[in-house]
Amino acid sequence: MKLIKEQIVMSKLALKGGNPLRNEKFPQWPQYDEKEMAALERVLKSNVGGTLGSEVKSFVKNYSKYQNCDFGVAVTNGTQTMEIILRALGVGYGDEVIIPPYTFNATASAVIFQGATPIFVDIEENTFNIDPEKIESAITSRTKAIIPVHVGGRACNMDRIMEIAKKHNLYVIEDSAHANGGEWKGRRTGSIGDAGSFSFQCSKNLTSGEGGFITTNDIDIYEKCWAVHNCGRDIHGKAWYGHPFIGTNARMTEWQAAILNTQMERLDEQIEKRIENANYLTSRLNEIPCIATLKTDERVTRNSYHLFLFKFISEKCRGLSRDLFIKALSAEGIPCSPGYVCLYKQPLFNTPEFKRVTGSNINYNELYLETAERLCEKEAVWLTQNMLLGEKKDMDQIAESIIKIYENVDELL
């Protein structure tokens, strides 16, 4: 019998059994040291865990100043900031609020909680933010507010949005959950519209596990938000059991505020590190044919990079799908994800409860916003902010892992 020795071809890609390009972990998140431990011990020994204590008051002062705003309200989480602002502005049943479909569910659920109806407007190709030029066609006699979302830490075109809002007498609520420390033309996010909403959830660039913040330069809006978040009390009232307004208990705890006061000491240094690494990574990714990075805009004077966003172009990688690309990149030791699902495709918008709460007869199944759907389903790729706290060699490994996939794509087809 003649024996034929078969040639063994070793796979190069980790997804197919090869060695991953990277074996190290990216920097952990959140980051902390003995300062956080000391802050928590300080709260424990104070016997004041909540109800507007000294840590909360200190954080309100510090963070309002940091975001260049006259007033601030510290609350339990980012979702409630949106709910409180909308209630304070009088948004309710029968009203409409314009939002992008490329955002977390809370942007829409906060609107629904007030009995109002979310009206979705498509996003820009090269920013992933709401497209201002498509807003006006969505405005009706019921429109009460616009909620631009600063996706990934990159500020929206606030000049154009504010121009439209002024023309139609609409409120602007900046969803700045991703944009702690971000800027548009030198102005901090949350200081440009009527109010700003911030999140300190565990993944955010400033975190206390959960937590949120409302910013405004309007004293009336501030006092209304304060009343809503503090059980409907009057900020000028003296009676603890006096409740002249409809409110809820959304007060930030001393534990959250103590952690945030400490985390703020690192925030600017971390943002600058992310910017430096993001700029370098962008330059490397621009060398790769199947990758499209987002448009540079000088008006975005500070991108706080809660996410590093880019597009995978399947047609330039022999038709490889975005989802298989993500699996291959993750296997190489580069954690990544496709990010958001187009929000109006969530089942909640076609439930009897949604129709009962809002009175809306909109059939969201018929809605099609081309850019948002394409990015969500075929192109968008996310890298998380902690990865940008690494070193230059880490950014090189991200780029080199993508190049490895690009050069060996036949293994995946």
Side-chain angles (χ1 to χ4, degrees), residues 8-270:
I8 299 175
V9 179
M10 298 298 291
S11 173
K12 293 181 180 179
L13 295 180
L15 189 62
K16 291 296 183 178
N19 294 322
L21 189 145
R22 178 185 173 90
N23 292 303
E24 302 172 59
K25 291 185 177 181
F26 284 92
Q28 70 167 25
W29 190 259
Q31 298 186 352
Y32 61 91
D33 59 24
E34 66 280 356
K35 290 182 180 180
E36 276 82 359
M37 297 298 292
L40 291 173
E41 184 178 12
R42 184 172 66 245
V43 172
L44 183 63
K45 291 180 177 179
S46 74
N47 291 322
V48 180
T51 316
L52 309 177
S54 61
E55 293 286 349
V56 171
K57 290 176 182 176
S58 175
F59 180 66
V60 167
K61 179 180 178 181
N62 293 339
Y63 197 71
S64 298
K65 181 179 180 181
Y66 183 77
Q67 293 298 142
N68 303 143
C69 287
D70 293 335
F71 308 104
V73 180
V75 302
T76 49
N77 59 62
T79 300
Q80 285 198 302
T81 63
M82 298 290 293
E83 295 171 3
I84 291 165
I85 293 168
L86 287 163
R87 180 169 289 279
L89 296 178
V91 175
Y93 187 85
D95 292 330
E96 295 176 348
V97 178
I98 291 173
I99 67 172
Y102 199 78
T103 182
F104 181 58
N105 179 64
T107 311
S109 70
V111 174
I112 298 166
F113 248 64
Q114 310 312 314
T117 301
I119 302 297
F120 293 97
V121 166
D122 209 354
I123 58 177
E124 294 177 312
E125 176 78 35
N126 293 311
T127 70
F128 291 22
N129 285 332
I130 192 168
D131 188 340
E133 300 312 317
K134 295 177 180 176
I135 289 176
E136 281 199 279
S137 62
I139 295 172
T140 72
S141 60
R142 293 186 174 187
T143 307
K144 197 75 174 282
I146 306 168
I147 304 180
V149 181
H150 304 305
V151 176
R154 177 195 184 102
C156 298
N157 183 345
M158 291 306 297
D159 287 359
R160 184 70 179 117
I161 291 168
M162 295 304 294
E163 179 184 4
I164 293 167
K166 183 177 180 180
K167 176 180 176 182
H168 296 275
N169 194 30
L170 303 175
Y171 292 115
V172 174
I173 304 163
E174 296 178 66
D175 186 336
S176 305
H178 290 182
N180 293 291
E183 291 180 358
W184 172 261
K185 295 174 71 172
R187 298 180 66 185
R188 289 282 164 94
T189 54
S191 70
I192 305 169
D194 295 282
S197 163
F198 292 85
S199 172
F200 309 129
Q201 176 263 354
C202 57
S203 73
K204 299 302 190 293
N205 298 21
L206 182 66
T207 181
S208 52
E210 288 287 0
F213 202 87
I214 297 166
T215 54
T216 185
N217 290 307
D218 186 309
I219 191 169
D220 291 332
I221 293 174
Y222 161 66
E223 291 184 353
K224 290 174 184 175
C225 287
W226 190 94
V228 174
H229 107 293
N230 191 17
C231 307
R233 294 183 172 96
D234 186 342
I235 195 170
H236 302 293
K238 296 181 180 179
W240 181 249
Y241 290 110
H243 304 273
F245 305 103
I246 297 173
T248 188
N249 180 1
R251 300 180 301 240
M252 177 177 283
T253 68
E254 288 286 274
W255 307 98
Q256 292 170 298
I259 292 293
L260 290 166
N261 280 324
T262 305
Q263 291 273 313
M264 278 194 71
E265 296 176 12
R266 305 185 184 91
L267 182 56
D268 280 331
E269 182 180 352
Q270 290 171 338

Side-chain angles (χ1 to χ4, degrees), residues 258-325:
I259 292 293
L260 290 166
N261 280 324
T262 305
Q263 291 273 313
M264 278 194 71
E265 296 176 12
R266 305 185 184 91
L267 182 56
D268 280 331
E269 182 180 352
Q270 290 171 338
I271 290 175
E272 294 307 316
K273 180 76 169 179
R274 292 187 189 99
I275 291 172
E276 178 185 353
N277 277 327
N279 289 340
Y280 178 69
L281 180 58
T282 297
S283 71
R284 288 298 318 270
L285 296 189
N286 284 339
E287 303 168 359
I288 307 173
C290 64
I291 300 301
T293 57
L294 302 194
K295 180 181 177 182
T296 300
D297 188 337
E298 292 182 355
R299 296 172 297 178
V300 181
T301 46
R302 199 186 200 205
N303 184 337
S304 53
Y305 282 106
H306 174 60
L307 298 168
F308 184 92
L309 304 164
F310 64 91
K311 294 186 287 185
F312 173 73
I313 310 302
S314 172
E315 295 77 10
K316 295 186 178 181
C317 199
R318 298 202 58 197
L320 181 71
S321 73
R322 186 273 313 266
D323 292 348
L324 188 52
F325 167 77

